[in-house]
Amino acid sequence: QVQLVESGGGSVQAGGSLRLSCKISGRTLSLYVMGWIRQAPGKERETVAAVTWSGHNIYYADSVKGRFTISKDDANKVGYLQMYNVKPEDTAVYYCALKPRGENKYSHWGQGTQVTVSS
């Protein structure tokens, strides 16, 4: 059984930094893509960053490019989203998720962690 557990959310002032973590268990990850997806009230779900676990393909949404960095610790099966220069519009629940490479939909999700950015 695959489990994803996020941590690291909280409240931060605009311009500040925050790092989210995603501990993954129960799955060999080499054929998967890990993504960070956020959901803000009244807005559509947005994939802000994604990385192929065994490769080097990285995706960033335009809204976070240059401010967020996705990374992973292969040995400990932990994914990270480093957020720099955060803005109030980054306020959302952030989820980490997994999908098999080549698939469109994420099949495994964490419980989400709230990020609130104040101006």
PDB file of all heavy atoms in Angstrom, residues 9-26:
ATOM      1  N   GLY A   9       3.982  22.596   5.911  1.00  0.00           N
ATOM      2  CA  GLY A   9       3.137  23.740   5.629  1.00  0.00           C
ATOM      3  C   GLY A   9       3.045  24.666   6.833  1.00  0.00           C
ATOM      4  O   GLY A   9       3.538  24.371   7.912  1.00  0.00           O
ATOM      5  N   GLY A  10       2.417  25.809   6.615  1.00  0.00           N
ATOM      6  CA  GLY A  10       2.236  26.761   7.692  1.00  0.00           C
ATOM      7  C   GLY A  10       1.949  28.143   7.149  1.00  0.00           C
ATOM      8  O   GLY A  10       1.577  28.306   5.987  1.00  0.00           O
ATOM      9  N   SER A  11       2.137  29.119   8.020  1.00  0.00           N
ATOM     10  CA  SER A  11       1.902  30.507   7.649  1.00  0.00           C
ATOM     11  C   SER A  11       3.224  31.230   7.471  1.00  0.00           C
ATOM     12  O   SER A  11       4.152  31.038   8.261  1.00  0.00           O
ATOM     13  CB  SER A  11       1.078  31.205   8.731  1.00  0.00           C
ATOM     14  OG  SER A  11      -0.197  30.607   8.851  1.00  0.00           O
ATOM     15  N   VAL A  12       3.293  32.045   6.447  1.00  0.00           N
ATOM     16  CA  VAL A  12       4.516  32.772   6.159  1.00  0.00           C
ATOM     17  C   VAL A  12       4.149  34.105   5.535  1.00  0.00           C
ATOM     18  O   VAL A  12       3.104  34.231   4.885  1.00  0.00           O
ATOM     19  CB  VAL A  12       5.428  31.942   5.223  1.00  0.00           C
ATOM     20  CG1 VAL A  12       4.753  31.660   3.893  1.00  0.00           C
ATOM     21  CG2 VAL A  12       6.782  32.578   5.030  1.00  0.00           C
ATOM     22  N   GLN A  13       4.992  35.086   5.720  1.00  0.00           N
ATOM     23  CA  GLN A  13       4.751  36.397   5.118  1.00  0.00           C
ATOM     24  C   GLN A  13       5.248  36.401   3.678  1.00  0.00           C
ATOM     25  O   GLN A  13       6.179  35.669   3.312  1.00  0.00           O
ATOM     26  CB  GLN A  13       5.456  37.481   5.922  1.00  0.00           C
ATOM     27  CG  GLN A  13       4.787  37.777   7.250  1.00  0.00           C
ATOM     28  CD  GLN A  13       5.303  39.059   7.878  1.00  0.00           C
ATOM     29  OE1 GLN A  13       6.464  39.401   7.740  1.00  0.00           O
ATOM     30  NE2 GLN A  13       4.422  39.753   8.572  1.00  0.00           N
ATOM     31  N   ALA A  14       4.630  37.237   2.893  1.00  0.00           N
ATOM     32  CA  ALA A  14       5.046  37.387   1.501  1.00  0.00           C
ATOM     33  C   ALA A  14       6.535  37.715   1.432  1.00  0.00           C
ATOM     34  O   ALA A  14       7.045  38.511   2.232  1.00  0.00           O
ATOM     35  CB  ALA A  14       4.226  38.478   0.833  1.00  0.00           C
ATOM     36  N   GLY A  15       7.200  37.071   0.481  1.00  0.00           N
ATOM     37  CA  GLY A  15       8.638  37.235   0.350  1.00  0.00           C
ATOM     38  C   GLY A  15       9.444  36.210   1.116  1.00  0.00           C
ATOM     39  O   GLY A  15      10.662  36.099   0.919  1.00  0.00           O
ATOM     40  N   GLY A  16       8.783  35.465   1.963  1.00  0.00           N
ATOM     41  CA  GLY A  16       9.472  34.469   2.772  1.00  0.00           C
ATOM     42  C   GLY A  16       9.638  33.142   2.054  1.00  0.00           C
ATOM     43  O   GLY A  16       9.351  33.014   0.853  1.00  0.00           O
ATOM     44  N   SER A  17      10.113  32.156   2.808  1.00  0.00           N
ATOM     45  CA  SER A  17      10.392  30.836   2.245  1.00  0.00           C
ATOM     46  C   SER A  17       9.740  29.755   3.088  1.00  0.00           C
ATOM     47  O   SER A  17       9.489  29.946   4.285  1.00  0.00           O
ATOM     48  CB  SER A  17      11.908  30.589   2.193  1.00  0.00           C
ATOM     49  OG  SER A  17      12.558  31.562   1.419  1.00  0.00           O
ATOM     50  N   LEU A  18       9.521  28.613   2.436  1.00  0.00           N
ATOM     51  CA  LEU A  18       8.923  27.480   3.118  1.00  0.00           C
ATOM     52  C   LEU A  18       9.368  26.231   2.369  1.00  0.00           C
ATOM     53  O   LEU A  18       9.512  26.270   1.134  1.00  0.00           O
ATOM     54  CB  LEU A  18       7.399  27.592   3.080  1.00  0.00           C
ATOM     55  CG  LEU A  18       6.563  26.979   4.194  1.00  0.00           C
ATOM     56  CD1 LEU A  18       6.937  27.562   5.548  1.00  0.00           C
ATOM     57  CD2 LEU A  18       5.077  27.228   3.925  1.00  0.00           C
ATOM     58  N   ARG A  19       9.581  25.138   3.086  1.00  0.00           N
ATOM     59  CA  ARG A  19       9.905  23.881   2.423  1.00  0.00           C
ATOM     60  C   ARG A  19       8.903  22.808   2.817  1.00  0.00           C
ATOM     61  O   ARG A  19       8.723  22.529   4.015  1.00  0.00           O
ATOM     62  CB  ARG A  19      11.318  23.402   2.757  1.00  0.00           C
ATOM     63  CG  ARG A  19      11.739  22.212   1.878  1.00  0.00           C
ATOM     64  CD  ARG A  19      13.164  21.763   2.131  1.00  0.00           C
ATOM     65  NE  ARG A  19      13.280  20.959   3.334  1.00  0.00           N
ATOM     66  CZ  ARG A  19      14.308  20.150   3.567  1.00  0.00           C
ATOM     67  NH1 ARG A  19      15.299  20.056   2.679  1.00  0.00           N
ATOM     68  NH2 ARG A  19      14.370  19.461   4.688  1.00  0.00           N
ATOM     69  N   LEU A  20       8.296  22.218   1.819  1.00  0.00           N
ATOM     70  CA  LEU A  20       7.374  21.114   2.024  1.00  0.00           C
ATOM     71  C   LEU A  20       8.099  19.797   1.798  1.00  0.00           C
ATOM     72  O   LEU A  20       8.965  19.699   0.924  1.00  0.00           O
ATOM     73  CB  LEU A  20       6.185  21.215   1.067  1.00  0.00           C
ATOM     74  CG  LEU A  20       5.431  22.543   1.058  1.00  0.00           C
ATOM     75  CD1 LEU A  20       4.240  22.457   0.091  1.00  0.00           C
ATOM     76  CD2 LEU A  20       4.981  22.936   2.435  1.00  0.00           C
ATOM     77  N   SER A  21       7.724  18.798   2.589  1.00  0.00           N
ATOM     78  CA  SER A  21       8.303  17.462   2.454  1.00  0.00           C
ATOM     79  C   SER A  21       7.201  16.448   2.195  1.00  0.00           C
ATOM     80  O   SER A  21       6.060  16.626   2.629  1.00  0.00           O
ATOM     81  CB  SER A  21       9.058  17.070   3.727  1.00  0.00           C
ATOM     82  OG  SER A  21      10.104  17.968   4.009  1.00  0.00           O
ATOM     83  N   CYS A  22       7.565  15.379   1.508  1.00  0.00           N
ATOM     84  CA  CYS A  22       6.620  14.311   1.206  1.00  0.00           C
ATOM     85  C   CYS A  22       7.337  12.978   1.398  1.00  0.00           C
ATOM     86  O   CYS A  22       8.206  12.614   0.608  1.00  0.00           O
ATOM     87  CB  CYS A  22       6.100  14.436  -0.215  1.00  0.00           C
ATOM     88  SG  CYS A  22       5.005  13.091  -0.726  1.00  0.00           S
ATOM     89  N   LYS A  23       6.985  12.292   2.469  1.00  0.00           N
ATOM     90  CA  LYS A  23       7.566  10.983   2.743  1.00  0.00           C
ATOM     91  C   LYS A  23       6.719   9.926   2.048  1.00  0.00           C
ATOM     92  O   LYS A  23       5.510   9.861   2.262  1.00  0.00           O
ATOM     93  CB  LYS A  23       7.609  10.735   4.246  1.00  0.00           C
ATOM     94  CG  LYS A  23       8.079   9.346   4.642  1.00  0.00           C
ATOM     95  CD  LYS A  23       9.503   9.088   4.226  1.00  0.00           C
ATOM     96  CE  LYS A  23       9.956   7.707   4.688  1.00  0.00           C
ATOM     97  NZ  LYS A  23      11.286   7.354   4.121  1.00  0.00           N
ATOM     98  N   ILE A  24       7.370   9.085   1.244  1.00  0.00           N
ATOM     99  CA  ILE A  24       6.672   8.074   0.459  1.00  0.00           C
ATOM    100  C   ILE A  24       7.064   6.689   0.950  1.00  0.00           C
ATOM    101  O   ILE A  24       8.254   6.420   1.169  1.00  0.00           O
ATOM    102  CB  ILE A  24       7.008   8.209  -1.035  1.00  0.00           C
ATOM    103  CG1 ILE A  24       6.688   9.628  -1.519  1.00  0.00           C
ATOM    104  CG2 ILE A  24       6.236   7.186  -1.862  1.00  0.00           C
ATOM    105  CD1 ILE A  24       7.229   9.956  -2.888  1.00  0.00           C
ATOM    106  N   SER A  25       6.091   5.831   1.113  1.00  0.00           N
ATOM    107  CA  SER A  25       6.379   4.463   1.535  1.00  0.00           C
ATOM    108  C   SER A  25       5.527   3.492   0.738  1.00  0.00           C
ATOM    109  O   SER A  25       4.481   3.851   0.194  1.00  0.00           O
ATOM    110  CB  SER A  25       6.101   4.292   3.027  1.00  0.00           C
ATOM    111  OG  SER A  25       4.753   4.585   3.327  1.00  0.00           O
ATOM    112  N   GLY A  26       6.026   2.269   0.654  1.00  0.00           N
ATOM    113  CA  GLY A  26       5.232   1.186   0.082  1.00  0.00           C
ATOM    114  C   GLY A  26       5.297   1.051  -1.416  1.00  0.00           C
ATOM    115  O   GLY A  26       4.464   0.361  -1.996  1.00  0.00           O
TER     116      GLY A  26
END
